[in-house]
């Protein structure tokens, strides 16, 4: 996802008309689409309808202060990833710490220099762009893993099933050594299917959809199977 400056929307929330007008004019001069709101509640409603790419947020506002606005943004799955830069006359360390605690990504103290505001806006827009690109790549990776695992699991399951069937049907004709080879084919195939299932579990973990089913395991049996599989290679 590659957004140009002209396609980037910045929301400015401040109850001081002069600040709104100044930031709007300066950001528009840089090519951004700027939405201004004097109240937090109105800004939240507008963001829900059409999420902006970044929000510049004042703290001291009537009805709902900037901290509350940011908390509500971060509680909404559709809005929580929007970067919020606080712009406030409050310069106490406690205020800055709280701004970051509620989800802000940066803090600019009033009176501000627009060059500083613009530099921080550009930085966080660039970081957000990189996050979106990484997310897209991660989703592509998960899709590829799912396809690969599915395509590999089916033939391996066939090998596992047919080796077991042949071992049963040919049991009277097989030597002890041959029977052991069939068992190794079955065990190795089962081990590979387990690895493929692990790949699918990784995708489920990263997507937050993994359900754990805990059960006791005989670790001695697991170790012996691993030894048998690797004995031939050794």
């Amino acid at each position: 996802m590659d957004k140009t400056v002209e396609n980037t929307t910045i929301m400015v929330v401040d109850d001081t008309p002069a600040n709104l007008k100044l930031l709007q004019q300066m950001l528009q001069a840089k090519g951004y689409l700027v939405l201004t709101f004097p109240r937090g509640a109105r800004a939240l409603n507008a963001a829900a309808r059409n999420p902006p790419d970044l929000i510049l947020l004042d703290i001291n506002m009537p009805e709902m202060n900037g901290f509350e606005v940011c908390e509500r943004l971060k509680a909404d799955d559709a809005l929580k990833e929007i970067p919020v830069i606080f712009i406030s006359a409050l310069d106490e360390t406690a205020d800055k710490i709280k701004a970051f605690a509620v989800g802000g990504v940066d803090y600019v103290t009033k009176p501000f220099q627009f060059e500083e505001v613009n530099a921080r806006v550009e930085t966080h827009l660039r970081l957000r762009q990189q996050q979106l690109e990484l997310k897209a790549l991660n989703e592509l990776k998960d899709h590829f893993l799912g396809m690969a695992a599915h395509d590999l699991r089916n033939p391996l399951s066939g090998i596992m099933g047919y080796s077991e069937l042949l071992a049963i049907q040919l049991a009277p004709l097989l030597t002890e050594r041959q029977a052991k080879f069939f068992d190794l084919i079955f065990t190795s195939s089962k081990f590979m299917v387990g690895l493929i299932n692990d790949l699918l579990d990784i995708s489920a973990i990263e997507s937050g959809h993994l359900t754990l089913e805990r059960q006791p395991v005989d670790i001695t049996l697991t170790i012996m199977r691993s030894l048998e599989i690797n004995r031939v290679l050794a």
Side-chain angles (χ1 to χ4, degrees):
M1 177 180 176
D2 183 18
K3 294 200 71 171
T4 63
V5 171
E6 291 77 12
N7 293 326
T8 300
T9 302
I10 297 178
M11 178 179 287
V12 182
V13 188
D14 196 311
D15 66 330
T16 304
N19 289 337
L20 283 180
K21 185 176 181 180
L22 178 61
L23 286 169
Q24 181 181 37
Q25 290 176 343
M26 291 183 171
L27 289 169
Q28 285 178 340
K30 292 290 183 179
Y32 297 109
L33 175 62
V34 183
L35 305 175
T36 61
F37 295 92
R39 295 289 186 274
R42 291 177 58 187
L44 285 171
N45 291 333
R49 293 193 302 271
N50 187 21
D53 297 289
L54 183 141
I55 297 175
L56 296 175
L57 182 60
D58 187 22
I59 295 176
N60 282 334
M61 296 183 293
E63 299 174 10
M64 185 186 302
N65 66 42
F67 295 139
E68 295 172 314
V69 173
C70 192
E71 285 178 330
R72 294 199 184 188
L73 283 168
K74 300 307 174 181
D76 189 325
D77 288 338
L79 306 175
K80 65 182 181 182
E81 300 299 332
I82 300 173
V84 176
I85 299 176
F86 283 95
I87 299 186
S88 175
L90 301 176
D91 61 357
E92 295 293 331
T93 301
D95 297 312
K96 296 177 182 179
I97 291 174
K98 184 172 183 179
F100 288 110
V102 297
V105 297
D106 214 333
Y107 196 102
V108 178
T109 304
K110 296 176 183 178
F112 57 81
Q113 296 293 323
F114 181 71
E115 291 77 9
E116 178 187 4
V117 174
N118 184 59
R120 297 183 187 227
V121 165
E122 289 180 352
T123 296
H124 289 292
L125 285 174
R126 185 164 56 249
L127 289 173
R128 177 63 179 145
Q129 177 71 21
Q130 291 170 352
Q131 289 172 350
L132 291 173
E133 290 171 356
L134 286 173
K135 183 179 179 181
L137 288 173
N138 194 51
E139 290 174 351
L140 184 62
K141 179 210 66 177
D142 289 343
H143 179 66
F144 171 77
L145 280 178
M147 289 179 58
H150 181 269
D151 291 343
L152 287 171
R153 184 165 56 179
N154 286 343
L156 279 171
S157 296
I159 293 172
M160 185 171 66
Y162 283 120
S163 65
E164 184 179 30
L165 182 63
L166 282 172
I168 294 172
Q169 292 181 347
L170 298 176
L173 305 176
L174 297 176
T175 65
E176 182 179 349
R177 183 177 176 83
Q178 290 171 335
K180 193 168 187 178
F181 285 159
F182 268 111
D183 184 60
L184 282 174
I185 292 172
F186 175 80
T187 303
S188 298
S189 301
K190 187 176 182 180
F191 178 74
M192 289 300 296
V193 169
L195 290 178
I196 291 170
N197 288 334
D198 288 343
L199 285 176
L200 293 174
D201 285 344
I202 290 172
S203 295
I205 290 170
E206 292 182 344
S207 63
H209 296 137
L210 180 69
T211 301
L212 293 177
E213 296 181 4
R214 302 177 187 274
Q215 59 183 16
V217 174
D218 185 349
I219 193 170
T220 304
L221 182 60
T222 302
I223 292 173
M224 293 304 297
R225 284 175 176 172
S226 182
L227 284 172
E228 287 299 321
I229 291 171
N230 290 283
R231 194 187 304 278
V232 176
L233 296 176

